[in-house]
Amino acid sequence: MVRNGGHLELPTDLLVGCDGRGSSVRTHAGLALAPAREAYDVLWFKVSPPPDELEACDFHISVRSGQHPLVAYTSWDGQWQCGVIMPKGGMAEFRTADWLTPALRAAPTAFAEHVLAHRNAVSRPVRLNVTVGHAPSWSAPGVLVLGDAAHPMSPVRAQGINLALRDAVVAANHLGGLAAGRPTPDAVNQACAAIQAEREPEILRAQRLQRREARGQGDARAGTWRFTLAKRGARAVGRYRWAQRAWLSRQRGLRFGTTRVVLDALPDT
Ligand SMILES: Cc1cc2nc3c(=O)[nH]c(=O)nc-3n(C[C@H](O)[C@H](O)[C@H](O)COP(=O)(O)OP(=O)(O)OC[C@H]3O[C@@H](n4cnc5c(N)ncnc54)[C@H](O)[C@@H]3O)c2cc1C
């Protein structure tokens, strides 16, 4: 260990950066991030839900032609976590004292009335800058990035945490054996490349599937013919088992992953 002024240096064979979408490990290692086109902003706020929603496990998505979609779910603290999803640059209209009224434009009437009636208890809104993309290379000599640091995920269908955990399992499988011995730099670098090779196809597929899901929200906002057709179709056939099964099967790849990930037995340490 070397202390150098205010810096502390720790020698290591491999530094694994799991420091999220704004990863400073990725930046310091000189690893590029290829951003996807679907960058957007979310206006994030909380409010108490109606009593019958307290124990509910529902995820509400409200879409209305020409308005920013609004999502809401009951969070760990019993509050409704709400998010208004908008393209970059859309935040300007919420920089007013009455930001809440435009934030609720897509909401059903009863939902909007409830939130406005409790406006004094609404939390201060926070802007979430949603960047999506992937690093073409997840590693540099002695450095590996995983999770959002390697592939910042969109919130669509809430899969980013699962995917980050699956990265960690695969990394443990490849690095566990090395950690027990004295690995050469080449062996560490090869393990890092193998981790990326194993995880990347599922990540890129998940990001494609998230884009496909997000297109539906874009169609809804723009009120396209595709959205009108889908809405009519959902009303007409949504109550049938076969239609529900077809929808669920379309969701499967994104929600359950597309590769098999199993933690191998780790060597005793
Ligand atoms: C608005 C929004 C909503 C989302 N909702 C969901 C959801 O409901 N479910 C879901 O699965 N995914 C969701 N996602 C995606 C999900 O948040 C990420 O894909 C997931 O958290 C990635 O996990 P991670 O461990 O790689 O990174 P993170 O969860 O971002 O964890 C990184 C950690 O590193 C820490 N850190 C950063 N820099 C440093 C530093 N210099 N020193 C020390 N620590 C540092 C951070 O504090 C943080 O704790 C959402 C994303 C967004 C933008």
Side-chain angles (χ1 to χ4, degrees), residues 10-32:
L10 300 168
T12 181
D13 294 315
L14 180 67
L15 174 73
V16 182
C18 307
D19 51 346
R21 58 192 58 231
S23 172
S24 51
V25 173
R26 185 183 67 224
T27 308
H28 286 300
L31 296 171

Side-chain angles (χ1 to χ4, degrees), residues 12-263:
T12 181
D13 294 315
L14 180 67
L15 174 73
V16 182
C18 307
D19 51 346
R21 58 192 58 231
S23 172
S24 51
V25 173
R26 185 183 67 224
T27 308
H28 286 300
L31 296 171
L33 183 73
R37 269 179 300 156
E38 83 264 33
Y40 47 90
D41 284 330
V42 177
L43 186 73
W44 207 229
F45 60 94
K46 283 188 172 180
V47 63
S48 299
D52 58 337
E53 282 283 338
L54 267 176
E55 299 299 325
C57 190
D58 298 335
F59 189 92
H60 304 269
I61 306 182
S62 308
V63 285
R64 195 185 291 270
S65 175
Q67 306 299 342
H68 302 311
L70 173 80
V71 297
Y73 60 91
T74 308
S75 188
W76 60 272
D77 53 2
Q79 294 277 294
W80 248 352
Q81 176 68 67
C82 305
V84 184
I85 302 166
M86 69 198 77
K88 291 275 174 212
M91 204 53 75
E93 68 176 303
F94 300 100
R95 293 207 179 91
T96 65
D98 183 19
W99 58 270
L100 194 55
T101 305
L104 295 167
R105 279 195 198 122
T109 311
F111 185 112
E113 283 175 357
H114 169 83
V115 177
L116 290 173
H118 296 82
R119 63 161 66 232
N120 291 337
V122 172
S123 69
R124 203 168 60 81
V126 177
R127 172 187 170 233
L128 298 182
N129 173 7
V130 181
T131 306
V132 181
H134 75 279
S137 174
W138 295 17
S139 60
V143 180
L144 169 70
V145 284
L146 296 176
D148 267 22
H151 47 78
M153 299 301 295
S154 138
V156 171
R157 301 288 183 240
Q159 292 304 312
I161 296 172
N162 289 344
L163 290 161
L165 284 171
R166 288 161 75 83
D167 287 358
V169 169
V170 170
N173 288 346
H174 285 276
L175 297 172
L178 291 183
R182 304 211 50 182
T184 62
D186 272 356
V188 173
N189 294 340
Q190 278 167 19
C192 292
I195 293 163
Q196 177 175 357
E198 191 172 332
R199 291 299 301 139
E200 201 169 35
E202 181 175 75
I203 297 298
L204 297 181
R205 175 118 198 260
Q207 291 187 331
R208 271 200 305 278
L209 294 174
Q210 286 186 316
R211 271 198 293 281
R212 186 183 70 180
E213 296 292 302
R215 258 201 307 276
Q217 291 181 5
D219 283 344
R221 184 191 290 118
T224 63
W225 63 266
R226 267 199 307 249
F227 175 63
T228 311
L229 196 67
K231 202 162 76 169
R232 287 211 187 120
R235 276 206 190 117
V237 301
R239 60 182 179 282
Y240 297 114
R241 259 296 161 76
W242 60 265
Q244 293 166 5
R245 269 204 294 267
W247 187 83
L248 285 174
S249 117
R250 188 182 139 106
Q251 297 287 310
R252 202 169 172 78
L254 183 53
R255 292 173 192 253
F256 292 94
T258 46
T259 54
R260 188 172 147 74
V261 172
V262 178
L263 181 65

